Amino acid sequence: MGRVSLAGVSKTYGDPGQTVTALTNVSFELADGEFCAILGHSGCGKTTLLNMVAGFETPSAGIIRVEDQPVSGPGWERTMVFQDYALFPWATVRQNVAFGLEMKKLPADARAAIVDHHLDLVELTGFADRYPDQLSGGMRQRVAIARALAVSPRVLLMDEPFGALDDQTRRYMQEELVRIWRREPKTVMLVTHSIDEAILLADKIVVLSSRPGRIKQVLSVDLERPRDEDSPDYLALKRYLRGLIHAETAA
Amino acid sequence: MSGAAAGTAVPVILPARRANWYRRLKPLVLLAGLVVLWQLVCLLWLPRLDRQIAILLPSPVQLASTAGKLIATGELPHHLADSLRREAVAFALALWAVPLGIAMGWWRGIHQQFYPVVEILRPIPPLAWIPLSILWFGLGDVQNEFIIFLGMVFPILLNTLEGVRQVDRNLIRAARSLGAGEAVLLRRVVLKAALPQIVTGLRVGLGFGWMALVAAELVGANSGLGFLINDARSLLRTDIVVVGMLAIGVAGLTIDFALRGLARWLLPWSQQQGGR
């Protein structure tokens, strides 16, 4: 349902002769239902990569496919959860979650059932009629997740989704995300600069180097869920990734 | 008598009520003091100074009596209604600045073409159009409405334009990836997101229009509050002049209040709109 493949994807900005290369020759594949973290420093082009998968930006070279269909623009099969939530402030929680379903022209009763299901999934049933301004950061991000999942996308894209949250809330939301993902398995691409977040959440970690962004390594995380941050395997992987990223900073 | 039952309740309610009145009236102490001072100056000081000068500053009591008469004869309501009607007609026309502003904010090509036109016309004060507009339209409603329209259209246009340009890019992206097409995007996301700024533009526009209205009526009308005060000037009826000025102020304030109410109704999610 949600296979993703990137083949030779590059992105350059600027006018000819004065270009800046953001990403160069990025290729990897994700299986259906795989949870992938894109890990790298700020400026490594990881958000650009996500924006191209979402269809907000077009690659300068290479091709991105979802289920063998080339990506040519934004669409409901690839929905995004933004760091700043990007909820519609004029709409209630329920209206926010229902937005994509209205765009799909679902009848009202089917819409209501799907919205209720997703509000239940993110545990916000009692907050359906609140406005985003009346919610905490963690709750807003749960609304954003519900809104993105409600249209049944093939791929869920997350751009540093917990970056604006305090440490405690971030921990809680990471656990929540894993719980939600296990109940509704989806291919997930999550951009992060946090090594811990990548290890805690992902099946596969794509490590990007900076300027220009290119793949440094793609590695699988074969740790039992829920993941134990104190286990030797976890710590070994963390040390390895830190070395990989640190070498980058030194270079 | 019902007084017995109510009487027992009075000691409980009264202190709270008093405190409430006190809080409400407290900001008006200086204002009330100034009015009293004004009255005393008119009553005691000015007549001793010079009888001619006394005419130039009518007292608050005299104003109240003049206002009462002007309302009773229907003269003030008649002029007020004419002014409000001109403001309303001009506002209805100036509302076209909203779709134009949205289009300019959204489509680069439209912005490119319209912006130079706007930038050339905008710095010309509406009042500078009065002589030409009198030649074009003669004295009367159309000329007045034209001047008011010019006062309104630029604040509305530029606020709308700015509101659209400042729409959070991620809101647009979110809507697009959820399947919104261009028309839906404009109507349900861009318009909504820009609405607080558009409403600010409407408020500023109505205020500018009201100022331009009075100026237009001073020279180019035979009714309206601007006409009323200018006409009274030639008869040395300073009391009518000041009552007219106060009516202009109160009406302007009422329009702004009404629009703030509209903002609260249109923008229930945006708390700061009502308060500003």
Side-chain angles (χ1 to χ4, degrees):
Chain A
M1 282 298 287
R3 279 183 299 114
V4 178
S5 87
L6 289 84
V9 172
S10 299
K11 180 72 182 176
T12 52
Y13 290 103
D15 303 316
Q18 265 200 331
T19 56
V20 177
T21 304
L23 279 169
T24 180
N25 198 24
V26 172
S27 304
F28 63 90
E29 299 205 350
L30 299 178
D32 181 37
E34 198 165 25
F35 198 128
C36 163
I38 317 278
L39 180 65
H41 287 298
S42 49
C44 71
K46 52 195 192 300
T47 296
T48 305
L49 185 64
L50 208 63
N51 282 340
M52 289 193 293
V53 178
F56 301 146
E57 298 181 42
T58 44
S60 310
I63 194 156
I64 300 170
R65 287 192 178 86
V66 172
E67 286 295 307
D68 300 324
Q69 291 277 17
V71 169
S72 61
W76 62 266
E77 68 275 16
R78 291 159 281 114
T79 51
M80 176 88 99
V81 174
F82 299 88
Q83 179 174 359
D84 61 1
Y85 324 120
L87 296 174
F88 304 128
W90 54 85
T92 61
V93 167
R94 168 176 294 283
Q95 291 163 344
N96 264 284
V97 178
F99 185 87
L101 302 169
E102 281 179 61
M103 298 301 109
K104 278 183 145 184
K105 305 234 178 340
L106 255 65
D109 48 344
R111 220 155 61 202
I114 295 173
V115 170
D116 287 340
H117 169 77
H118 285 88
L119 288 180
D120 178 54
L121 184 70
V122 298
E123 296 180 337
L124 282 178
T125 302
F127 297 88
D129 297 319
R130 300 282 186 94
Y131 287 100
D133 272 1
Q134 299 170 308
L135 304 177
S136 69
M139 291 163 92
R140 287 183 208 178
Q141 200 52 297
R142 278 189 274 162
V143 177
I145 292 169
R147 183 178 69 175
L149 286 176
V151 291
S152 310
R154 296 180 192 279
V155 186
L156 182 65
L157 306 168
M158 307 183 92
D159 186 10
E160 307 229 18
F162 310 133
L165 302 177
D166 65 79
D167 203 47
Q168 236 178 330
T169 313
R170 176 161 51 241
R171 287 300 168 110
Y172 174 68
M173 286 301 295
Q174 286 164 347
E175 285 167 29
E176 280 288 288
L177 178 59
V178 172
R179 178 185 67 79
I180 291 164
W181 173 70
R182 295 182 107 181
R183 265 184 67 182
E184 310 248 317
K186 286 263 179 273
T187 311
V188 178
M189 278 178 79
L190 176 140
V191 156
T192 183
H193 61 261
S194 155
I195 294 173
D196 276 306
E197 186 161 270
I199 307 176
L200 277 171
L201 300 177
D203 297 319
K204 180 181 272 179
I205 300 178
V206 175
V207 184
L208 290 183
S209 71
S210 298
R211 294 178 228 282
R214 64 175 54 147
I215 290 188
K216 195 150 207 180
Q217 195 168 348
V218 179
L219 38 92
S220 311
V221 185
D222 299 319
L223 302 175
E224 282 284 300
R225 291 178 192 272
R227 285 172 181 165
D228 175 6
E229 288 170 71
D230 299 316
S231 78
D233 288 345
Y234 184 101
L235 291 169
L237 182 58
K238 186 172 170 179
R239 203 173 305 126
Y240 177 75
L241 283 170
R242 207 190 292 146
L244 208 60
I245 296 218
H246 184 69
E248 169 72 21
T249 322
Chain B
M1 281 197 202
S2 63
T8 54
V10 163
V12 187
I13 294 169
L14 205 57
R17 275 206 177 161
R18 250 186 203 152
N20 204 357
W21 283 4
Y22 179 69
R23 260 206 315 278
R24 286 203 179 170
L25 293 180
K26 202 176 163 194
L28 303 179
V29 169
L30 177 63
L31 182 65
L34 286 174
V35 171
V36 170
L37 182 68
W38 176 4
Q39 180 69 33
L40 290 176
V41 165
C42 290
L43 210 62
L44 303 174
W45 188 55
L46 284 182
R48 247 185 263 174
L49 199 69
D50 185 337
R51 291 194 74 83
Q52 297 297 324
I53 286 180
I55 295 172
L56 295 182
L57 187 67
S59 74
V61 170
Q62 197 189 341
L63 291 180
S65 126
T66 304
K69 275 181 214 145
L70 284 175
I71 292 169
T73 60
E75 202 178 342
L76 189 63
H78 157 70
H79 290 295
L80 178 64
D82 277 6
S83 289
L84 287 175
R85 197 193 59 239
R86 289 174 190 143
E87 172 98 344
V89 169
F91 185 59
L93 292 171
L95 277 178
W96 284 102
V98 172
L100 178 61
I102 291 175
M104 282 176 70
W106 192 247
W107 289 290
R108 220 191 168 84
I110 293 184
H111 185 268
Q112 260 175 0
Q113 294 304 314
F114 275 85
Y115 198 68
V117 179
V118 170
E119 281 303 278
I120 284 173
L121 292 178
R122 190 174 63 95
I124 303 173
L127 308 191
W129 285 89
I130 288 179
L132 191 60
S133 65
I134 289 177
L135 294 177
W136 282 357
F137 304 113
L139 300 185
D141 283 345
V142 178
Q143 184 268 341
N144 291 174
E145 282 151 12
F146 178 69
I147 298 300
I148 305 161
F149 168 83
L150 288 171
M152 289 173 166
V153 76
F154 294 109
I156 297 177
L157 181 70
L158 295 179
N159 274 288
T160 303
L161 171 62
E162 207 44 43
V164 170
R165 297 193 125 196
Q166 282 170 4
V167 174
D168 180 0
R169 190 167 61 164
N170 282 346
L171 287 184
I172 293 166
R173 287 176 159 179
R176 278 215 164 109
S177 80
L178 290 167
E182 191 90 345
V184 173
L185 200 60
L186 273 174
R187 191 163 43 84
R188 292 197 47 183
V189 179
V190 176
L191 176 64
K192 286 265 175 93
L195 205 51
Q197 181 96 37
I198 293 174
V199 169
T200 300
L202 297 182
R203 275 181 67 189
V204 175
L206 277 168
F208 274 36
W210 193 241
M211 284 192 260
L213 163 107
V214 174
E217 286 177 347
L218 278 177
V219 291
N222 41 35
S223 71
L225 294 170
F227 167 81
L228 175 71
I229 62 177
N230 202 33
D231 192 44
R233 174 190 61 89
S234 60
L235 302 171
L236 209 62
R237 286 296 301 272
T238 49
D239 54 334
I240 297 182
V241 173
V242 178
V243 167
M245 287 166 63
L246 290 173
I248 290 164
V250 169
L253 201 62
T254 308
I255 292 172
D256 197 53
F257 267 138
L259 215 75
R260 274 201 242 179
L262 181 74
R264 267 195 293 276
W265 178 68
L266 274 176
L267 314 164
W269 70 90
S270 174
Q271 298 302 319
Q272 87 256 5
Q273 274 305 311
R276 269 197 299 173

